[in-house]
Amino acid sequence: MAGITCDERRNCNDTALGCFGVAYVFEQRAKPLALAQKVLAFTSLLGPVSVGALVLTVGTSSTLIPIMVWFAGAASLTQTVIALWSLSAKWTDSLAYYVESKADNYFLATQLRSLADDTAKSQNAWRTEFAVLETSVRHRTNLDLRVGLTDEEKRMAMRAALREYERPCAACQNVPTSLKSEVCDVCGNFKRRRLKWLV
């Protein structure tokens, strides 16, 4: 369509790229928290259930019972400390936010990418839809800024987005084919720190 310029389509794709990168980072943040919460829920019952199962199996006179009770007590104490930490660190709130932001940003990225490739819409319809999507992106970005991304995460986001959109990095000129970090100040030099989001 002649009415929509290459710059407009490029801007639409750039916005989609940014949304995809942010979504990827929040997805990476959510994974360890989701796993930690599953482990926490599992271990909260592991001690009492294992002692109960042992008593039902071998009876109360077994020499294993005091040992098992000691291990169950130690496990329960550890689990209680971790549960208290999860409450003070607000794991549940953080996980809910990361999942919500991930879903919104992936959705916006998909919509923007689809719009950038759309040649059937009229000029007015295309620009109106882009304006609506831009408003949604600004709103989502304002929310995400409260949580913030580190410089390292921004580089990881850039690499994920460049790989997804098959675009070259502005600095190293490489089109990433993997998510493995390389030496680049725009799309590399990051480490995956799974435990970072548990503290």
Side-chain angles (χ1 to χ4, degrees):
M1 187 194 329
I4 303 302
T5 66
C6 290
D7 284 345
E8 286 177 301
R9 293 188 187 281
R10 176 82 177 187
N11 185 32
C12 189
N13 264 321
D14 286 348
T15 308
L17 185 141
C19 289
F20 185 93
V22 172
Y24 177 79
V25 168
F26 283 124
E27 183 177 20
Q28 298 313 300
R29 285 187 183 187
K31 285 178 183 177
L33 277 176
L35 178 60
Q37 288 193 326
K38 286 178 185 175
V39 170
L40 194 59
F42 175 75
T43 56
S44 67
L45 295 173
L46 181 62
V49 169
S50 59
V51 170
L54 185 64
V55 168
L56 287 173
T57 305
V58 298
T60 56
S61 60
S62 172
T63 56
L64 292 176
I65 296 298
I67 298 169
M68 197 63 182
V69 168
W70 187 89
F71 277 113
S76 293
L77 178 62
T78 304
Q79 192 273 336
T80 301
V81 170
I82 295 171
L84 287 172
W85 178 255
S86 76
L87 289 173
S88 63
K90 299 183 178 179
W91 285 2
T92 303
D93 294 346
S94 295
L95 179 60
Y97 183 84
Y98 298 156
V99 169
E100 175 195 316
S101 180
K102 175 195 78 168
D104 280 356
N105 277 299
Y106 274 141
F107 175 77
L108 288 168
T110 301
Q111 295 297 105
L112 286 159
R113 190 175 192 178
S114 176
L115 182 62
D117 294 337
D118 193 328
T119 56
K121 278 188 173 62
S122 70
Q123 183 176 331
N124 286 341
W126 195 97
R127 287 182 175 143
T128 299
E129 186 172 338
F130 182 55
V132 169
L133 286 169
E134 267 194 318
T135 301
S136 297
V137 169
R138 276 196 298 274
H139 175 68
R140 183 75 254 172
T141 301
N142 287 337
L143 293 174
D144 291 342
L145 284 173
R146 296 177 189 176
V147 178
L149 301 183
T150 64
D151 288 341
E152 210 172 9
E153 286 177 320
K154 288 175 185 175
R155 292 191 295 272
M156 182 171 66
M158 180 60 73
R159 186 166 190 84
L162 291 174
R163 178 178 175 264
E164 176 69 16
Y165 287 77
E166 298 178 345
R167 285 174 54 176
C169 172
C172 67
Q173 298 301 313
N174 293 327
V175 177
T177 56
S178 77
L179 296 172
K180 184 179 177 183
S181 178
E182 293 180 3
V183 180
C184 177
D185 290 331
V186 173
C187 72
N189 296 335
F190 59 85
K191 293 179 182 175
R192 294 180 183 274
R193 296 185 176 130
R194 296 279 186 200
L195 297 179
K196 178 180 180 180
W197 301 109
L198 301 180
V199 294

